[in-house]
């Protein structure tokens, strides 16, 4: 048996929708993943784009992967990086970092699209307070598997006999999937918790139709086969279960409610540092 989750849709304006599949009532987490967002697809007219002002994180790593478009990342470490399709931005927040995400100026000047996913990985309790880091990995640096009409890029962790160079802190399963019509893919069963998010296309799991823009959570130990009826874009994610329950509040993740309260105060008082090149920030929500 499997669980199919319809994500909550957030309209951010200009036709840009973000669909949040995790956390949900059916799945608070899948492996170490505590947050799963599908961005777009969206088309921006010239002069428009993504503008996520500086905001803070603790206790997690953010993972950004695009199928189209570009996003300019800046953070309090001084990192500055434009991510393009097939690349991975992995930002370890640890004890605290702030960052911004915006459409690059040269891209914003013309009509452009964006489509991708951003996920959060909760760090193990032993690593929740590590020093923050940012790492960019180009598409060429990630393992690529092509077989039988399936194109798989291992974003993080281990899958299908390959291992990503992205530094992870616990057992992680994260693969970008592109399938041609009639292609089939056995879901790697070497991980305790696994899920599949279908971004685009008509897909089936074990012969049952799966709606696009939905998350499929597989039962532990089950074997499943994904089949594409049309071209399909999807993401596999999961891994080892969390080592303890996690509290999520705004952009903060921690095994301790008290630590989240401290992070709130740190952001109010400007202790996360400054993001070079930025003059704005997102204030702490009132609730």
């Amino acid at each position: 048996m499997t669980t199919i989750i319809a994500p909550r849709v957030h309209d951010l304006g200009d036709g840009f929708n973000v669909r949040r599949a995790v956390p949900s009532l059916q799945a608070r987490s899948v492996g170490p993943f505590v947050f799963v967002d599908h961005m777009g697809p969206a088309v921006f007219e010239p002069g428009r784009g993504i503008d996520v002002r500086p905001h803070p994180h603790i206790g997690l790593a953010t993972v950004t992967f695009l199928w189209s478009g570009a996003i300019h990342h800046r953070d309090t470490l001084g990192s500055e990086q434009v991510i393009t399709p097939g690349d991975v931005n992995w930002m370890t927040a640890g004890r605290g970092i702030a960052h911004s995400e915006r459409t690059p100026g040269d891209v914003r000047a013309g009509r452009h699209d964006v489509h991708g996913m951003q996920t959060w990985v909760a760090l193990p309790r032993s690593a929740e307070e590590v020093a923050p880091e940012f790492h960019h990995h180009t598409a060429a640096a990630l393992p690529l598997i092509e077989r039988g009409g399936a194109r798989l890029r291992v974003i993080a962790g281990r899958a299908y006999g390959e291992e990503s160079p992205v530094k992870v802190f616990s057992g992680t399963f994260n693969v970008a999937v592109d399938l041609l019509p009639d292609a089939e893919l056995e879901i790697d069963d070497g991980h305790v918790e696994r899920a599949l998010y279908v971004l685009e296309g008509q897909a089936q799991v074990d012969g049952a139709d799966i709606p696009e823009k939905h998350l499929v959570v597989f039962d532990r130990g089950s074997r499943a086969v994904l089949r594409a009826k049309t071209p399909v874009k999807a993401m596999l994610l999961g891994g080892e279960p969390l080592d303890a329950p996690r509290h999520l509040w705004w952009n903060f993740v921690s095994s301790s409610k008290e630590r989240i309260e401290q992070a709130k105060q740190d952001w109010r008082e400007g202790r996360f540092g400054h993001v070079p090149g930025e003059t704005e920030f997102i204030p702490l929500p009132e609730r």
Side-chain angles (χ1 to χ4, degrees), residues 86 141 143 159 166 219-220 227 231:
V166 174
D219 282 354
R220 294 187 180 192
R227 179 178 177 272

Side-chain angles (χ1 to χ4, degrees), residues 74-80 91-92 96-98 131-135 272 274-276:
R74 291 189 177 101
D75 63 40
T76 47
L77 299 176
S79 312
E80 186 170 351
M91 185 183 75
T92 301
I97 195 171
E133 294 182 347
F134 174 81
H135 297 284
F272 274 82
H274 175 69
V275 177

Side-chain angles (χ1 to χ4, degrees), residues 86-236:
D87 301 344
V88 171
N89 275 1
W90 178 284
M91 185 183 75
T92 301
R95 61 176 175 253
I97 195 171
H99 72 136
S100 64
E101 297 162 294
R102 300 183 185 271
T103 300
D106 58 338
V107 175
R108 190 186 297 261
R111 196 168 187 264
H112 60 281
D113 61 347
V114 65
H115 192 198
M117 294 196 72
Q118 188 171 81
T119 55
W120 293 357
V121 175
L123 301 177
R125 284 182 296 176
S126 61
E128 284 185 304
E129 297 297 320
V130 298
E133 294 182 347
F134 174 81
H135 297 284
H136 175 79
H137 299 267
T138 65
L142 301 175
L144 178 64
I145 305 164
E146 295 183 288
R147 61 189 185 202
R151 181 181 175 91
L152 314 176
R153 196 174 296 279
V154 183
I155 296 172
R158 297 174 180 269
Y160 298 100
E162 300 285 349
E163 183 174 5
S164 168
V166 174
K167 177 185 175 183
V168 296
F169 293 82
S170 61
T172 305
F173 174 48
N174 199 192
V175 182
V177 177
D178 286 273
L179 300 180
L180 295 176
D182 297 322
E184 292 189 347
L185 175 69
E186 291 188 8
I187 305 302
D188 191 318
D189 61 357
H191 303 272
V192 178
E193 297 185 356
R194 300 160 299 150
L196 166 77
Y197 186 88
V198 179
L199 290 86
E200 186 177 279
Q202 297 178 28
Q204 292 181 329
V205 170
D206 294 339
D209 290 341
I210 302 299
E212 68 176 6
K213 303 180 178 66
H214 281 62
L215 183 77
V216 179
V217 180
F218 300 101
D219 282 354
R220 294 187 180 192
S222 65
R223 290 177 171 269
V225 175
L226 170 67
R227 179 178 177 272
K229 298 169 67 176
T230 66
V232 166
K233 297 184 186 302
M235 179 175 281
L236 291 165

